[in-house]
Amino acid sequence: MDPHYQHLYDILAHSQGYIFPNEIELQWGILIVVYPFITGLVAGAFILASLERVFKVRILQPTYQIALLTALSFLLVATMPLISHLSQPQRAYEIMITPHSSSAMAIFGFVYLWYLMVVLLLEIWFDYRHSMVVWANEKKGIMKWVYRILTLGVSDISPRTVRWDRKMGYIITVVGIPSAFILHGYVGFIFGSIKANPWWSTPLMPIIFLFSAMVSGIALVMIVYMVITYFRKKVIDLDVLDSIGKYLFFVLILDFTLEGLDQIHRIYVAEESFEIIKLLVSGKLYLTLFIAQGLVGTIIPLITLVFLQFYKHKIRVRKTMYFIVSILVLIGVYSMRWNVVIGGQLFSKSFSGFTSFKVGLIGLDGTLMAAFWLILPIGILAFLLWLLPPWRMVKEEEEI
Amino acid sequence: MKFYVPPQIPRLALAFAIFITLFLVLRHFLVPDTFGKYGHYRAASLIDNAQPEIHYAGQQACFKCHQDIEDKKAQDVHSEIHCETCHGPGEKHVVSSKVEDILKPSGREFCGSCHIINAGKQKSAINQIDLNKHNVGKNCIECHNPHQPWEMKK
Amino acid sequence: MSQSTSAMGNEKIKTSRRKFLKTATVLAGAAIGYSWLKSSQILLFAAEPKDESLPWYGIVIDIQKCIGCGNCAKACKNENDVPAEPFFFRTWIEQYTVKNDGSVNIVSPNGGIDGFKQTVPDEDIFKSFFVPKMCNHCAKSPCVQVCPVGATYVSPEGVALIDEKYCIGCRYCVQACPYGCRFIHPVKKVANKCTLCYHRLKKGLAPACMETCPTGARMYGNLRDKNSDLVKFLKEHTTQVLRPNLNTGSKLFYNALSSEVR
C-alpha cells in the first residue's frame, strides 16, 4: 500500500453505506468554506455602508468608512482561498482570458472585478480624494508621494470639483447595492446551479447566501467599530450600536425565515434525495446545523437582540451583549457555509451512503491556510485604517 | 463658458482605459492558438487526447500470427471472447514478438473469476460452476481447453 | 500654489494630456477591435459544429449480460494508466442485491476489479444484478457546462473529453457530474475520466473495456448510422439512461435497468 494514499484508505474505512468509488475524497475542503464566508462579509459590510449613503441613515455615519474599508480588505483576499485550492493555481488566469459563459465560476471573475474596481475602489477613491489631496500637501517625504499617487495626480479641491466627488460617490453607491447583491447572490448560484447535488440545487440558494451575507457583514462591522473605538480610546456610541443591532435583527429574521422556508419545502416535497438528506442533517450535520447554525448563530442572537430593544439600563452590559451577539452570528454564518459546502459533499450522489471528512491542520487545504486567509484581511484593514484614517478626514459642509 | 468637466473623471477614465488595454493585450497573447476553433476549447486538445499509446492491441492483431487459435476458438463457446480478456494487454508483444509479457493464466481461481456462482448473473449469460463441488482439487485446464472448452481432454 | 501661476502650466499639461488621451483611445480601440476579430466566438456560448461525416458515439450496456467479472475495470486501468488504488475509476461495476425485505445492498469492492462475493444468503435475495458504470458522454454534459475555462468539452464525435494541459483543477466538474464518473488524477493533478478510449477509437479499435468484455455486455456505436448494431439494439430493446430527470442528454443506454439503480 502506497503511504501516499493512506488518508484515503482511512476515509474509506469510515464511509457508510454505498458511495461511488470516486467519491471517497471530498473535492472542496475548508478553503471553499472560507471563500463564501469572506465574500459574504464583503457584501454585507458594503450594504450596511450604503444604508448610510443612499437611505440617509445619518446615525450610522461613524461606521460608513469603516464598513467600506472592511469590505475592501476582505474583498482583496476573497479570491485567494479559491486560487489556493486549485490543483493548478498557475493556470488560474485562464478564467479571465477564456471564461466559459455557461459556467457560474467563470463569470464570477468578472463580477468580482466589477465589484472591486468599479464599485468599491471608486467609491472609496471619491470619498477620500479630497482628504488625500490635503494629506499629500501636509505630509513630507515618501508619504507625500504615496498620497499623490493615490490621487492619480488630480490635486483640484475646489468646491465645484469636490461636489462632483460626492455626486459620483452617490451614483456608485446606488450602482453598488445591486452589485453587492449580485456578487453574493452569484456565490450562492455557484452552488445552487449544480443540479446533480440536491442539497445545493435550490433557486433559494442565492437569496439565502445573500441574506446570510448581510447578517455576517453587519455583525463584522459592529465588531470592527467597537474594536477600533476601543483602541482609539474613544467612547462607543450606543445609538450606533442600537441601530446596527436593529438592522441585524431584521436581516437575521429574514435570513432565518428564508432558510426555514427552504427546509420546510424540502421536507414537504420529499423528493428522491429526501431520505439521505434526512440522515445527513440528523447525523453528520447535527452539530453544525442545529447547534452551531440554528441555536448559537440564530436563535440565541435573535432572543438577545429582542431583549436589547427593551433593556436600556447598564451600558457596559449592553455593549458586551452586542459584542457577543456579533461573534455568535459570525459563528452561525460560518457554520452555514460549512453545512452547505461540506454537507453537500458528505453524502453520495448514489443517495445510498456517506463519506467522511476530517480537516487537516497543515497543507494547502488545511486549517492553517484557511485561518491565514481569514486573518490576512484584518491585517489589511489595520493598514488601510492607518493609511486612510476615517477620523482624520477633511470635514465637508453638509450635503444638499 | 465651456461645459465643466471635473478633472478627476478623465483621469479615472484614463486609468481604466490603461487597465482594460493591458488586459486585452495580455489576453491576446495568452489565449491558446487553437482555442475556439470547434467550440469553447483548445482544438489541439483533440489531438492530445488521441495521442496516448494503446496497450490492448485488439484481437485482429493477435490473429495475424495466431490463426490456429482463431480457428479453434471459432468452433466453441469462447468464440466471442477476445484474446486479451484472459491474456492481458498485448500491444508490446505485437510490436515485437520478443517481448513475452503475455499472461497464460491457469487455475480454478482464474476461470472462476467468470464462472463462479453469483446470484447477480443471469442463467443465460454464463455457465456457473460451484467451485466447491465441481471436480475439487483439479485444475480446470486439465479437462477443458480454454480456447475450446467443450473439446474435453482425456 | 496660487491660482494665477498655475493657469499657464495647466494649459500646457492639458494639451499634452489631450494628445496622450487621443493616442491611448486609438490604441485601446485597436486592441479591442483586433481581439474581438480574433476570437469573438469564444466569448459567446460556442455552438457545436455538427459534422455529419463524423460518428456521434453512443453506448449500450446490457445488464442481463454482465457477469461482474471485472475485466472491463481492470483493462481500463491498464489502458489509461489510472492509479491502481481503489479511489480512482474511469469505469467500475456495482452489484445490486434487492432483498426480500425490500432493502437494497449495493457493493463495488475495488470497483469490481477483483470480482464479487455474494454476502447475502440466497434465501434472502429477491433479485440481484451487476451494473457497470462509466462516463455517460452526455450530449448536454453538466460537467462541460460548469467548466470555467473550457478545459472539458464534447468532441465533434460526441465524446466528453478533458484538456489536461488546460484544466485548472477547480473540481467544479467533479461536483457537477451526477454519476460520480470524475476524479482528480493524483499524479497529473487535473480532472480525469473515461474518454471512451478516444485514442483507440481514432485508431479504429474498440475501447479497452469493450475489447475485454467476455460477454459483450458493452457496445459502442454511431448513433447517426441507423444501420449500426447499436441503433438496431436500441430499436429492439427498451433501454433507459441513468437519472433521466436531470436531462443530461446521456448517451449511455442501459438495457434491463432496474429502478433501484442510480
Side-chain angles (χ1 to χ4, degrees):
Chain A
M1 192 194 296
D2 190 337
H4 182 66
Y5 298 105
Q6 185 56 50
H7 67 291
L8 292 177
Y9 283 98
D10 293 343
I11 301 171
L12 184 61
H14 284 101
S15 70
Q16 302 159 354
Y18 176 70
I19 60 176
F20 292 136
N22 292 330
E23 287 182 326
I24 307 286
E25 188 177 20
L26 249 67
Q27 298 299 333
W28 287 349
I30 191 167
L31 286 176
I32 307 296
V33 177
V34 167
Y35 152 70
F37 183 64
I38 290 183
T39 333
L41 294 175
V42 176
F46 180 84
I47 289 166
L48 185 68
S50 347
L51 275 179
E52 195 272 338
R53 186 96 186 223
V54 177
F55 302 109
K56 311 250 186 305
V57 185
R58 282 284 166 270
I59 194 148
L60 291 180
Q61 213 285 325
T63 64
Y64 175 66
Q65 272 89 14
I66 292 176
L68 277 189
L69 294 180
T70 307
L72 179 62
S73 4
F74 278 87
L75 190 67
L76 287 173
V77 179
T79 55
M80 295 318 291
L82 267 189
I83 292 173
S84 57
H85 106 284
L86 294 180
S87 312
Q88 305 282 351
Q90 78 285 0
R91 295 181 186 165
Y93 70 91
E94 291 169 6
I95 287 196
M96 300 307 295
I97 62 158
T98 57
H100 193 195
S101 54
S102 69
S103 166
M105 199 183 277
I107 307 306
F108 179 78
F110 290 92
V111 173
Y112 173 84
L113 261 193
W114 165 266
Y115 191 72
L116 175 70
M117 306 279 299
V118 180
V119 176
L120 260 187
L121 280 183
L122 277 193
E123 179 160 347
I124 293 173
W125 192 74
F126 280 120
D127 201 40
Y128 274 92
R129 202 188 63 82
H130 186 185
S131 304
M132 288 193 299
V133 173
V134 174
W135 293 335
N137 290 335
E138 282 172 359
K139 300 272 172 164
K140 295 254 163 355
I142 193 158
M143 285 317 288
K144 188 185 189 72
W145 284 101
V146 169
Y147 286 121
R148 201 166 267 181
I149 291 166
L150 284 177
T151 58
L152 297 176
V154 183
S155 54
D156 188 341
I157 44 172
S158 61
R160 191 161 65 158
T161 312
V162 170
R163 212 176 306 131
W164 269 92
D165 283 337
R166 278 211 303 273
K167 229 182 253 179
M168 294 304 292
Y170 181 79
I171 294 170
I172 286 163
T173 319
V174 173
V175 176
I177 295 174
S179 300
F181 275 56
I182 290 170
L183 175 76
H184 206 68
Y186 215 98
V187 178
F189 189 70
I190 287 180
F191 296 97
S193 61
I194 295 296
K195 63 181 170 188
N197 190 321
W199 184 236
W200 292 346
S201 174
T202 153
L204 274 180
M205 194 59 97
I207 307 175
I208 291 174
F209 261 62
L210 187 63
F211 277 92
S212 55
M214 285 161 69
V215 168
S216 65
I218 293 172
L220 180 70
V221 172
M222 179 128 77
I223 293 174
V224 171
Y225 170 69
M226 290 168 91
V227 171
I228 288 177
T229 321
Y230 173 80
F231 276 117
R232 292 182 60 222
K233 302 196 171 59
K234 295 275 151 63
V235 183
I236 295 172
D237 188 345
L238 252 178
D239 289 342
V240 173
L241 290 190
D242 277 340
S243 69
I244 298 180
K246 209 167 65 195
Y247 287 111
L248 183 61
F249 175 72
F250 290 139
V251 181
L252 198 55
I253 288 258
L254 268 172
D255 184 36
F256 184 53
T257 315
L258 281 168
E259 293 200 34
L261 196 61
D262 183 38
Q263 295 309 331
I264 289 167
H265 179 80
R266 249 179 235 286
I267 294 166
Y268 194 81
V269 298
E271 286 176 350
E272 190 186 11
S273 57
F274 179 61
E275 274 74 24
I276 192 82
I277 285 178
K278 201 166 78 180
L279 286 174
L280 175 76
V281 297
S282 59
K284 287 184 180 275
L285 285 190
Y286 185 80
L287 264 183
T288 48
L289 186 70
F290 291 111
I291 306 300
Q293 187 187 338
L295 186 68
V296 175
T298 312
I299 306 284
I300 294 178
L302 272 179
I303 294 171
T304 318
L305 285 169
V306 170
F307 173 73
L308 282 169
Q309 297 294 313
F310 301 107
Y311 180 81
K312 299 280 182 194
H313 302 294
K314 288 189 183 135
I315 291 175
R316 258 186 72 116
V317 176
R318 292 174 64 199
K319 279 183 200 164
T320 322
M321 280 171 93
Y322 273 126
F323 192 77
I324 292 171
V325 162
S326 302
I327 299 273
L328 291 185
V329 160
L330 284 179
I331 292 172
V333 174
Y334 182 83
S335 309
M336 182 264 181
R337 309 294 190 235
W338 173 280
N339 293 330
V340 171
V341 177
I342 303 297
Q345 300 174 78
L346 284 175
F347 65 93
S348 164
K349 285 177 191 142
S350 69
F351 300 162
S352 306
F354 296 97
T355 185
S356 67
F357 179 61
K358 215 172 74 189
V359 204
L361 189 63
I362 46 173
L364 269 180
D365 203 14
T367 311
L368 287 180
M369 194 72 176
F372 175 72
W373 295 128
L374 277 174
I375 290 166
L376 184 65
I378 298 170
I380 296 177
L381 179 60
F383 171 75
L384 285 177
L385 285 170
W386 169 80
L387 186 71
L388 307 166
W391 42 90
R392 297 237 180 82
M393 283 179 77
V394 180
K395 288 271 182 294
E396 285 161 31
E397 75 279 23
E398 201 48 40
E399 277 173 61
I400 341 102
Chain B
M1 195 195 154
K2 275 205 301 179
F3 180 70
Y4 175 70
V5 179
Q8 67 271 52
I9 309 290
R11 190 56 63 88
L12 269 181
L14 178 68
F16 272 80
I18 292 172
F19 180 80
I20 291 170
T21 313
L22 214 66
F23 171 74
L24 287 174
V25 169
L26 270 177
R27 176 173 182 275
H28 173 73
F29 287 110
L30 287 173
V31 174
D33 279 341
T34 59
F35 204 96
K37 195 172 163 196
Y38 301 128
H40 194 91
Y41 58 95
R42 224 166 42 92
S45 158
L46 285 170
I47 301 165
D48 292 350
N49 270 302
Q51 284 306 322
E53 285 175 11
I54 56 167
H55 294 71
Y56 287 84
Q59 70 170 356
Q60 290 312 318
C62 310
F63 291 159
K64 273 182 192 155
C65 298
H66 301 283
Q67 222 204 319
D68 53 325
I69 307 288
E70 181 182 12
D71 296 342
K72 219 177 218 183
K73 229 155 64 78
Q75 295 167 27
D76 214 330
V77 290
H78 279 180
S79 61
E80 291 302 310
I81 302 174
H82 293 196
C83 312
E84 287 160 309
T85 306
C86 302
H87 293 294
E91 174 63 12
K92 280 183 190 153
H93 177 72
V94 168
V95 172
S96 162
S97 57
K98 279 179 195 140
V99 181
E100 305 238 354
D101 63 344
I102 297 302
L103 304 175
K104 287 173 190 157
S106 66
R108 297 172 70 84
E109 283 298 307
F110 180 79
C111 296
S113 68
C114 286
H115 287 285
I116 195 169
I117 293 182
N118 188 313
K121 298 174 188 175
Q122 297 273 320
K123 292 268 185 321
S124 58
I126 190 167
N127 269 322
Q128 297 178 52
I129 309 296
D130 190 341
L131 291 181
N132 298 324
K133 289 184 183 151
H134 184 83
N135 293 333
V136 181
K138 272 184 142 176
N139 199 345
C140 310
I141 56 171
E142 285 176 41
C143 301
H144 298 280
N145 180 341
H147 294 129
Q148 217 171 339
W150 290 116
E151 176 153 296
M152 309 294 282
K153 293 175 185 170
K154 268 281 157 249
Chain C
M1 207 194 295
S2 76
Q3 289 287 327
S4 56
T5 48
S6 68
M8 283 263 290
N10 262 349
E11 207 47 54
K12 224 178 193 170
I13 292 167
K14 262 184 189 158
T15 1
S16 70
R17 187 192 298 158
R18 205 167 294 144
K19 231 181 192 168
F20 178 65
L21 264 175
K22 232 181 189 169
T23 329
T25 323
V26 171
L27 273 176
I32 294 171
Y34 182 56
S35 166
W36 187 258
L37 273 178
K38 184 195 169 205
S39 49
S40 62
Q41 74 272 28
I42 65 172
L43 286 173
L44 308 166
F45 197 109
E48 217 53 64
K50 294 269 184 266
D51 187 346
E52 298 286 334
S53 66
L54 288 170
W56 185 252
Y57 286 117
I59 307 152
V60 157
I61 291 180
D62 190 344
I63 289 173
Q64 287 176 327
K65 283 188 181 165
C66 182
I67 55 168
C69 65
N71 275 310
C72 50
K74 202 192 301 172
C76 177
K77 286 212 174 193
N78 285 338
E79 179 69 21
N80 297 295
D81 300 318
V82 177
E85 274 69 25
F87 317 110
F88 315 102
F89 293 92
R90 289 181 173 207
T91 181
W92 69 97
I93 309 124
E94 298 165 355
Q95 178 166 22
Y96 282 69
T97 304
V98 185
K99 296 189 212 164
N100 284 327
D101 63 7
S103 64
V104 185
N105 188 40
I106 315 168
V107 290
S108 183
N110 191 17
I113 286 180
D114 312 322
F116 291 86
K117 282 217 169 64
Q118 183 57 268
T119 50
V120 183
D122 273 352
E123 58 271 23
D124 291 345
I125 298 177
F126 176 65
K127 64 172 176 178
S128 180
F129 49 88
F130 296 104
V131 184
K133 293 277 186 82
M134 61 190 283
C135 173
N136 291 228
H137 294 284
C138 308
K140 293 173 264 182
S141 303
C143 57
V144 172
Q145 185 187 28
V146 302
C147 177
V149 298
T152 185
Y153 54 94
V154 177
S155 84
E157 302 96 339
V159 182
L161 294 175
I162 291 166
D163 184 346
E164 291 183 352
K165 291 181 189 157
Y166 210 61
C167 172
I168 61 175
C170 71
R171 298 146 192 248
Y172 204 17
C173 57
V174 186
Q175 307 285 7
C177 176
Y179 309 108
C181 292
R182 286 177 168 253
F183 57 93
I184 295 296
H185 195 288
V187 181
K188 297 175 180 170
K189 305 277 181 206
V190 288
N192 201 298
K193 69 176 248 314
C194 162
T195 60
L196 200 59
C197 284
Y198 188 76
H199 61 299
R200 297 177 63 84
L201 293 178
K202 281 281 160 186
K203 295 178 179 82
L205 295 166
C209 59
M210 309 199 185
E211 177 68 32
T212 57
C213 177
T215 61
R218 294 171 177 238
M219 256 189 277
Y220 77 107
N222 183 2
L223 291 170
R224 282 205 181 106
D225 177 4
K226 298 302 165 211
N227 297 315
S228 64
D229 291 348
L230 188 85
V231 174
K232 273 187 198 144
F233 188 95
L234 290 173
K235 199 171 185 174
E236 288 159 10
H237 296 80
T238 313
T239 57
Q240 178 59 292
V241 296
L242 295 173
R243 296 282 169 96
N245 58 322
L246 294 182
N247 191 24
T248 57
S250 164
K251 296 201 265 71
L252 165 50
F253 304 91
Y254 284 93
N255 185 38
L257 188 71
S258 196
S259 64
E260 292 84 5
V261 182
R262 289 211 176 87

PDB file of all heavy atoms in Angstrom, chain B residues 104-107 111 138-146 153:
ATOM      1  N   LYS B 104      -0.444 -16.214 -19.229  1.00  0.00           N
ATOM      2  CA  LYS B 104      -1.059 -17.506 -19.525  1.00  0.00           C
ATOM      3  C   LYS B 104      -1.685 -18.012 -18.244  1.00  0.00           C
ATOM      4  O   LYS B 104      -1.157 -18.908 -17.580  1.00  0.00           O
ATOM      5  CB  LYS B 104      -0.005 -18.487 -20.049  1.00  0.00           C
ATOM      6  CG  LYS B 104       0.416 -18.138 -21.462  1.00  0.00           C
ATOM      7  CD  LYS B 104       1.579 -18.986 -21.921  1.00  0.00           C
ATOM      8  CE  LYS B 104       2.125 -18.450 -23.224  1.00  0.00           C
ATOM      9  NZ  LYS B 104       3.529 -18.864 -23.433  1.00  0.00           N
ATOM     10  N   PRO B 105      -2.785 -17.424 -17.869  1.00  0.00           N
ATOM     11  CA  PRO B 105      -3.367 -17.742 -16.567  1.00  0.00           C
ATOM     12  C   PRO B 105      -3.913 -19.163 -16.542  1.00  0.00           C
ATOM     13  O   PRO B 105      -4.334 -19.710 -17.564  1.00  0.00           O
ATOM     14  CB  PRO B 105      -4.500 -16.726 -16.430  1.00  0.00           C
ATOM     15  CG  PRO B 105      -4.877 -16.396 -17.831  1.00  0.00           C
ATOM     16  CD  PRO B 105      -3.642 -16.503 -18.650  1.00  0.00           C
ATOM     17  N   SER B 106      -3.865 -19.751 -15.378  1.00  0.00           N
ATOM     18  CA  SER B 106      -4.487 -21.062 -15.211  1.00  0.00           C
ATOM     19  C   SER B 106      -4.970 -21.138 -13.773  1.00  0.00           C
ATOM     20  O   SER B 106      -4.741 -20.240 -12.987  1.00  0.00           O
ATOM     21  CB  SER B 106      -3.484 -22.170 -15.511  1.00  0.00           C
ATOM     22  OG  SER B 106      -2.458 -22.143 -14.551  1.00  0.00           O
ATOM     23  N   GLY B 107      -5.625 -22.177 -13.442  1.00  0.00           N
ATOM     24  CA  GLY B 107      -6.069 -22.354 -12.062  1.00  0.00           C
ATOM     25  C   GLY B 107      -7.548 -22.094 -11.920  1.00  0.00           C
ATOM     26  O   GLY B 107      -8.153 -21.383 -12.709  1.00  0.00           O
ATOM     27  N   CYS B 111     -10.399 -19.124 -13.765  1.00  0.00           N
ATOM     28  CA  CYS B 111     -11.618 -19.462 -14.514  1.00  0.00           C
ATOM     29  C   CYS B 111     -12.847 -19.049 -13.720  1.00  0.00           C
ATOM     30  O   CYS B 111     -13.856 -18.623 -14.279  1.00  0.00           O
ATOM     31  CB  CYS B 111     -11.659 -20.960 -14.815  1.00  0.00           C
ATOM     32  SG  CYS B 111     -10.294 -21.469 -15.890  1.00  0.00           S
ATOM     33  N   LYS B 138      -8.824 -30.381  -8.874  1.00  0.00           N
ATOM     34  CA  LYS B 138      -8.299 -30.435 -10.240  1.00  0.00           C
ATOM     35  C   LYS B 138      -8.238 -29.049 -10.842  1.00  0.00           C
ATOM     36  O   LYS B 138      -9.064 -28.190 -10.534  1.00  0.00           O
ATOM     37  CB  LYS B 138      -9.196 -31.324 -11.106  1.00  0.00           C
ATOM     38  CG  LYS B 138      -8.815 -32.789 -11.065  1.00  0.00           C
ATOM     39  CD  LYS B 138      -9.694 -33.553 -12.016  1.00  0.00           C
ATOM     40  CE  LYS B 138      -8.928 -34.641 -12.741  1.00  0.00           C
ATOM     41  NZ  LYS B 138      -9.810 -35.442 -13.589  1.00  0.00           N
ATOM     42  N   ASN B 139      -7.240 -28.842 -11.704  1.00  0.00           N
ATOM     43  CA  ASN B 139      -7.162 -27.595 -12.434  1.00  0.00           C
ATOM     44  C   ASN B 139      -8.107 -27.678 -13.633  1.00  0.00           C
ATOM     45  O   ASN B 139      -8.150 -28.702 -14.313  1.00  0.00           O
ATOM     46  CB  ASN B 139      -5.715 -27.373 -12.890  1.00  0.00           C
ATOM     47  CG  ASN B 139      -5.451 -25.943 -13.246  1.00  0.00           C
ATOM     48  OD1 ASN B 139      -6.392 -25.167 -13.431  1.00  0.00           O
ATOM     49  ND2 ASN B 139      -4.190 -25.579 -13.342  1.00  0.00           N
ATOM     50  N   CYS B 140      -8.832 -26.597 -13.916  1.00  0.00           N
ATOM     51  CA  CYS B 140      -9.835 -26.612 -14.993  1.00  0.00           C
ATOM     52  C   CYS B 140      -9.250 -27.075 -16.316  1.00  0.00           C
ATOM     53  O   CYS B 140      -9.863 -27.851 -17.055  1.00  0.00           O
ATOM     54  CB  CYS B 140     -10.444 -25.237 -15.180  1.00  0.00           C
ATOM     55  SG  CYS B 140     -11.018 -24.476 -13.673  1.00  0.00           S
ATOM     56  N   ILE B 141      -8.011 -26.570 -16.595  1.00  0.00           N
ATOM     57  CA  ILE B 141      -7.463 -26.839 -17.919  1.00  0.00           C
ATOM     58  C   ILE B 141      -6.939 -28.279 -18.048  1.00  0.00           C
ATOM     59  O   ILE B 141      -6.491 -28.675 -19.116  1.00  0.00           O
ATOM     60  CB  ILE B 141      -6.345 -25.844 -18.303  1.00  0.00           C
ATOM     61  CG1 ILE B 141      -5.228 -25.841 -17.271  1.00  0.00           C
ATOM     62  CG2 ILE B 141      -6.916 -24.447 -18.465  1.00  0.00           C
ATOM     63  CD1 ILE B 141      -4.024 -25.031 -17.725  1.00  0.00           C
ATOM     64  N   GLU B 142      -7.038 -29.055 -16.976  1.00  0.00           N
ATOM     65  CA  GLU B 142      -6.705 -30.474 -17.107  1.00  0.00           C
ATOM     66  C   GLU B 142      -7.737 -31.183 -17.977  1.00  0.00           C
ATOM     67  O   GLU B 142      -7.428 -32.156 -18.657  1.00  0.00           O
ATOM     68  CB  GLU B 142      -6.632 -31.133 -15.725  1.00  0.00           C
ATOM     69  CG  GLU B 142      -5.367 -30.769 -14.949  1.00  0.00           C
ATOM     70  CD  GLU B 142      -5.378 -31.360 -13.547  1.00  0.00           C
ATOM     71  OE1 GLU B 142      -5.795 -32.526 -13.394  1.00  0.00           O
ATOM     72  OE2 GLU B 142      -4.993 -30.638 -12.604  1.00  0.00           O
ATOM     73  N   CYS B 143      -8.978 -30.699 -17.922  1.00  0.00           N
ATOM     74  CA  CYS B 143     -10.037 -31.294 -18.749  1.00  0.00           C
ATOM     75  C   CYS B 143     -10.433 -30.397 -19.919  1.00  0.00           C
ATOM     76  O   CYS B 143     -10.650 -30.847 -21.020  1.00  0.00           O
ATOM     77  CB  CYS B 143     -11.278 -31.576 -17.915  1.00  0.00           C
ATOM     78  SG  CYS B 143     -10.987 -32.677 -16.530  1.00  0.00           S
ATOM     79  N   HIS B 144     -10.553 -29.063 -19.615  1.00  0.00           N
ATOM     80  CA  HIS B 144     -11.065 -28.144 -20.629  1.00  0.00           C
ATOM     81  C   HIS B 144      -9.925 -27.418 -21.330  1.00  0.00           C
ATOM     82  O   HIS B 144      -8.992 -26.956 -20.687  1.00  0.00           O
ATOM     83  CB  HIS B 144     -11.971 -27.090 -19.983  1.00  0.00           C
ATOM     84  CG  HIS B 144     -13.186 -27.653 -19.329  1.00  0.00           C
ATOM     85  ND1 HIS B 144     -14.316 -28.023 -20.010  1.00  0.00           N
ATOM     86  CD2 HIS B 144     -13.453 -27.924 -18.015  1.00  0.00           C
ATOM     87  CE1 HIS B 144     -15.228 -28.478 -19.169  1.00  0.00           C
ATOM     88  NE2 HIS B 144     -14.715 -28.434 -17.944  1.00  0.00           N
ATOM     89  N   ASN B 145     -10.039 -27.329 -22.632  1.00  0.00           N
ATOM     90  CA  ASN B 145      -9.137 -26.467 -23.371  1.00  0.00           C
ATOM     91  C   ASN B 145      -9.741 -25.073 -23.367  1.00  0.00           C
ATOM     92  O   ASN B 145     -10.841 -24.881 -23.875  1.00  0.00           O
ATOM     93  CB  ASN B 145      -9.025 -26.977 -24.825  1.00  0.00           C
ATOM     94  CG  ASN B 145      -8.101 -26.109 -25.640  1.00  0.00           C
ATOM     95  OD1 ASN B 145      -7.816 -24.967 -25.290  1.00  0.00           O
ATOM     96  ND2 ASN B 145      -7.622 -26.664 -26.746  1.00  0.00           N
ATOM     97  N   PRO B 146      -9.043 -24.094 -22.772  1.00  0.00           N
ATOM     98  CA  PRO B 146      -9.657 -22.774 -22.639  1.00  0.00           C
ATOM     99  C   PRO B 146     -10.074 -22.163 -23.981  1.00  0.00           C
ATOM    100  O   PRO B 146     -11.009 -21.370 -24.025  1.00  0.00           O
ATOM    101  CB  PRO B 146      -8.585 -21.927 -21.953  1.00  0.00           C
ATOM    102  CG  PRO B 146      -7.334 -22.717 -22.012  1.00  0.00           C
ATOM    103  CD  PRO B 146      -7.701 -24.156 -22.176  1.00  0.00           C
ATOM    104  N   LYS B 153     -10.295 -32.717 -22.760  1.00  0.00           N
ATOM    105  CA  LYS B 153      -9.069 -33.510 -22.801  1.00  0.00           C
ATOM    106  C   LYS B 153      -9.317 -34.775 -22.015  1.00  0.00           C
ATOM    107  O   LYS B 153     -10.169 -34.842 -21.147  1.00  0.00           O
ATOM    108  CB  LYS B 153      -7.926 -32.737 -22.150  1.00  0.00           C
ATOM    109  CG  LYS B 153      -7.528 -31.503 -22.923  1.00  0.00           C
ATOM    110  CD  LYS B 153      -6.482 -30.751 -22.112  1.00  0.00           C
ATOM    111  CE  LYS B 153      -6.143 -29.445 -22.769  1.00  0.00           C
ATOM    112  NZ  LYS B 153      -5.326 -28.611 -21.871  1.00  0.00           N
TER     113      LYS B 153
END
